[in-house]
Amino acid sequence: MKFLFSLLADKACLYLGVIILLMLSNDTVEAGLFGGLFGDDAPPPSISLSAPEPVADLLKTHFRLPTEALEDETARATFMRRAQREISELLATEGYFMPRITLHLSTPGEVPQLEVAPGPRTMVVGVHIEFKGDLSVDEPGRRARIEKLRSAWSLKEGQPFRSPAWEEAKSVLLSNVAGEDYVAAQIEESRAEIDPDSSQARLRVIVNSGPAFRFGELDIKGLNRYEPSLISGLAPFKPGDLYRRDQLLSFQTKLQNLPQFSSAAVNIQPDEVTHQAAPVEVVLSEAKSKRVGFGAGYSSNTGARGEVTYMNNDFLNNALRLNSGLRIEQKRQSLTGSIDSVADASGTWFSLGAAADRTFIQQLETIRQKVGVSRNQLLDKTETRLSLNWQRENRDPKGGLEQINQTLVLDGYLRYRSVDNPLFPRDGSVSELRIGGGKRELLSDQDFLRTYARHQFWYPVGKRDVLFLRGELGYTFAPSRFGIPQEYLFRAGGIQSVRGYAFQRLGVREGSAVVGGRVMFTGSIEYNHWLTRNWGAAIFTDVGDAADTIGGLNPAVGYGGGVRWRSPVGPLAVDVARGQRDGKFRFHFSIAVAF
């Protein structure tokens, strides 16, 4: 009977993979399945359109053909007047200024044809860019900047003249001038001289930079609860510095990210009268300082949960951020609290935290108390943390040795994120490194050094598919695992680890429990295909194990498929995976709702 069930399970997983692969590869079937939901049932036009490939898509998208037959000469004349006007305007945007538009009447039973011959395309044969104002002063630095601006001009000689490209080139030029020093810059003159007979275009642009601007004092509006020093300390510039748009935007982003404010806007008025010390206007809207939240959820890792949180963004009336929460899960219960300072101009802040939790996972019960202090920094795509943590842990494996372990750990953490979309990544990577340890001479029961590395990589395939790769390695250097809290050892299995196995099922056997070992590795390869914008399917294979020694590693393999949903709050995955060791299917799922 067991053999029969295993055979049926293998076939079921094989059939699931075949079905998903068919969906991944068969666009025709997919179109038939989903076309009815998103198709266009508009009636067909009564006139066909004939145009060369470079302009056919443009005309089909923006020119509306009649849906009713042109019954008489008056209707045809009216249609041709509209066609001549609208098609000529459309083609002119792409550099075709001498089109020939002809309506071929049909014999009975045939559809009339509108033939469009765009004619020769106009090419750019000359570009003249001139500068006035302070930027035009004959000085080496300004001359170098002018040459850089001219070389960055995108619509160059020899390229086809297109109205969108012409407008974009002017916009980028003005933005580049106004981004540094010259916030009041403007285009004084722009002219595109088109010669239809020779199909040539000569471009002329004159930019007046105006005077160079310098930052003045901050003019802060909207503060009631907080001191102005909270704002001024985040400014990446000081009065007297030359104007830089990127610094102004960076300042605004930092203010918008502060939990103390619901909105923030930073502006500088391009008034040439105040260019030597232009006031920087900061308009703020304060958020509520206190908030209580409730939540519920379910995870196949730790079961059903409920939680309550309390946040205070003005703790002790000093703009400190207090976060506290109580979470009750089937396999884990925790009480946490932390106090964070406001990040300074370099993106650095400090945290003080404490936590108490109890877990009962894989027949291992742990009760832990922890306090710590950390220095954190978020700089562009890189997040770092250096912390000093003390914890006391009571571990009780069923059938194993009960112990009380304590340690004082100096811990370093680095994370680098470079993805195209933080919520729904399709291209990019995330890397994490962590290293920390304790000494017996410094409040630890065991000498150890824990190292951990994780890398995730997303690679786009075509327009809809994504290949996802993940790998992680961990090793704790120590004479023995005893005396080391579980946080600094390793177990594997479950979501974000090895699917097909229960949460933290892979580790070291101690009695009837599974405890953490000193070495671990896991890896995943997953292929996602998006059937629609928000719904997709995936197939995957995971592998990994945790043990006390490298020689004790016995890689466990899990494979399966699942459904993906781009929900309003983030990506949601529902997976069914089979663990190769025991042949069992397991369901992996996680969802959380705040209310």
Side-chain angles (χ1 to χ4, degrees):
M1 188 68 181
K2 183 177 180 181
F3 171 77
L4 178 60
F5 175 78
S6 178
L7 181 63
L8 291 173
D10 282 338
K11 289 189 175 182
C13 194
L14 176 62
Y15 293 156
L16 175 63
V18 170
I19 291 171
I20 294 176
L21 284 173
L22 284 174
M23 290 191 293
L24 298 181
S25 60
N26 195 335
D27 290 338
T28 303
V29 172
E30 180 183 312
L33 289 173
F34 295 95
L37 294 176
F38 306 102
D40 186 1
D41 295 331
S46 62
I47 295 178
S48 65
L49 177 66
S50 174
E53 188 63 32
V55 299
D57 290 340
L58 174 71
L59 297 178
K60 290 177 181 178
T61 302
H62 298 286
F63 180 69
R64 180 174 55 84
L65 291 168
T67 57
E68 297 182 359
L70 305 177
E71 298 292 349
D72 52 34
E73 187 64 32
T74 300
R76 288 193 291 269
T78 301
F79 166 70
M80 284 304 294
R81 283 195 297 270
R82 179 174 71 85
Q84 291 283 355
R85 182 182 72 255
E86 294 181 7
I87 291 177
S88 296
E89 291 173 354
L90 285 170
L91 293 180
T93 65
E94 295 295 316
Y96 300 98
F97 293 95
M98 298 185 68
R100 187 176 70 254
I101 305 168
T102 308
L103 178 62
H104 298 286
L105 299 179
S106 61
T107 58
E110 294 182 353
V111 177
Q113 184 182 76
L114 182 68
E115 181 182 7
V116 178
R121 194 170 200 179
T122 299
M123 308 297 289
V124 177
V125 296
V127 178
H128 176 77
I129 303 176
E130 182 181 336
F131 295 92
K132 294 183 178 180
D134 182 78
L135 183 56
S136 65
V137 174
D138 190 14
E139 179 268 331
R142 290 177 174 83
R143 288 199 302 269
R145 184 174 177 187
I146 286 175
E147 288 304 314
K148 184 178 179 180
L149 289 167
R150 285 174 173 159
S151 64
W153 175 263
S154 57
L155 190 56
K156 301 180 183 296
E157 293 184 18
Q159 294 183 351
F161 176 82
R162 299 176 58 251
S163 293
W166 166 235
E167 296 300 327
E168 181 183 2
K170 291 188 292 182
S171 177
V172 171
L173 173 63
L174 181 61
S175 178
N176 289 339
V177 174
E180 294 184 7
D181 304 338
Y182 306 110
V183 66
Q186 56 185 333
I187 293 180
E188 193 172 275
E189 178 185 344
S190 68
R191 185 167 68 248
E193 299 175 351
I194 307 297
D195 184 356
D197 294 332
S198 61
S199 300
Q200 294 180 341
R202 289 178 171 80
L203 311 180
R204 177 180 175 84
V205 181
I206 300 176
V207 179
N208 191 333
S209 70
F213 277 66
R214 293 182 179 272
F215 289 116
E217 298 292 338
L218 298 181
D219 180 17
I220 304 173
K221 301 176 181 179
L223 279 185
N224 295 311
R225 193 180 298 122
Y226 307 105
E227 294 296 326
S229 58
L230 173 66
I231 309 305
S232 58
L234 295 176
F237 52 81
K238 59 182 182 297
D241 288 351
L242 283 168
Y243 168 80
R244 295 291 184 269
R245 181 174 55 209
D246 59 346
Q247 292 182 343
L248 204 68
L249 293 176
S250 173
F251 184 31
Q252 177 173 277
T253 300
K254 289 178 181 178
L255 295 176
Q256 290 172 339
N257 290 337
L258 289 179
Q260 287 83 0
F261 303 104
S262 57
S263 66
V266 181
N267 297 289
I268 185 172
Q269 295 298 325
D271 187 350
E272 296 187 4
V273 176
T274 62
H275 72 92
Q276 293 182 337
V280 179
E281 183 183 59
V282 181
V283 181
L284 302 165
S285 178
E286 294 182 351
K288 292 182 179 180
S289 61
K290 300 179 180 69
R291 188 175 69 183
V292 177
F294 300 90
Y298 176 83
S299 168
S300 55
N301 280 355
T302 54
R305 71 174 179 265
E307 62 182 323
V308 57
T309 59
Y310 172 75
M311 288 167 282
N312 187 339
N313 296 323
D314 193 24
F315 185 61
L316 301 178
N317 297 320
N318 201 26
L320 297 174
R321 185 180 184 187
L322 170 66
N323 282 289
S324 59
L326 173 65
R327 174 178 286 193
I328 307 297
E329 300 174 273
Q330 288 178 277
K331 299 179 181 180
R332 175 187 294 158
Q333 302 83 44
S334 62
L335 177 65
T336 61
S338 66
I339 300 173
D340 298 305
S341 67
V342 175
D344 60 19
S346 66
T348 301
W349 75 97
F350 294 89
S351 300
L352 175 65
D357 62 52
R358 173 192 175 275
T359 66
F360 187 72
I361 301 171
Q362 298 300 326
Q363 300 299 305
L364 171 65
E365 181 181 23
T366 63
I367 299 175
R368 181 182 64 162
Q369 302 86 37
K370 179 179 179 180
V371 294
V373 61
S374 65
R375 177 191 182 275
N376 316 278
Q377 185 177 43
L378 180 60
L379 187 61
D380 194 20
K381 300 177 181 180
T382 303
E383 178 184 354
T384 59
R385 181 173 67 245
L386 182 63
S387 60
L388 184 65
N389 302 302
W390 176 88
Q391 70 171 268
R392 180 183 183 276
E393 178 190 79
N394 185 339
R395 65 185 285 275
D396 184 13
K398 299 306 176 185
L401 178 66
E402 182 178 1
Q403 280 189 318
I404 295 178
N405 304 318
Q406 66 176 9
T407 186
L408 180 68
V409 176
L410 182 63
D411 210 354
Y413 171 86
L414 181 147
R415 185 182 192 188
Y416 178 79
R417 175 192 290 267
S418 178
V419 293
D420 58 343
N421 186 323
L423 198 58
F424 304 108
R426 190 169 186 269
D427 189 6
S429 63
V430 176
S431 300
E432 297 179 23
L433 295 173
R434 183 178 173 185
I435 183 170
K439 294 283 292 181
R440 288 185 175 179
E441 295 82 0
L442 297 174
L443 303 179
S444 293
D445 291 338
Q446 178 69 277
D447 294 336
F448 71 93
L449 179 67
R450 181 187 189 270
T451 60
Y452 174 80
R454 178 185 179 98
H455 183 72
Q456 300 176 90
F457 178 76
W458 292 265
Y459 182 77
V461 180
K463 294 183 178 180
R464 295 190 176 187
D465 300 357
V466 181
L467 177 65
F468 171 66
L469 303 173
R470 177 190 60 82
E472 62 176 347
L473 297 168
Y475 194 92
T476 298
F477 297 88
S480 166
R481 71 174 183 276
F482 294 102
I484 304 175
Q486 293 296 298
E487 180 180 345
Y488 303 103
L489 297 171
F490 304 99
R491 288 188 284 179
I495 302 171
Q496 294 295 314
S497 183
V498 184
R499 287 162 290 188
Y501 300 87
F503 181 50
Q504 296 190 352
R505 181 68 177 80
L506 305 175
V508 178
R509 278 284 180 183
E510 191 172 317
S512 60
V514 177
V515 302
R518 290 180 295 156
V519 59
M520 178 273 299
F521 86 96
T522 71
S524 295
I525 179 170
E526 179 173 308
Y527 194 89
N528 291 272
H529 175 68
W530 291 95
L531 303 167
T532 69
R533 184 179 182 276
N534 293 321
W535 288 95
I539 54 175
F540 58 84
T541 297
D542 298 340
V543 62
D545 195 19
D548 216 22
T549 63
I550 294 178
L553 289 172
N554 179 22
V557 178
Y559 51 87
V563 176
R564 301 291 179 266
W565 177 40
R566 289 192 176 106
S567 76
V569 295
L572 180 65
V574 179
D575 292 327
V576 177
R578 181 179 185 268
Q580 194 176 48
R581 279 187 180 178
D582 56 14
K584 293 182 180 180
F585 279 92
R586 288 182 174 85
F587 178 71
H588 297 280
F589 172 69
S590 177
I591 188 171
V593 178
F595 51 89

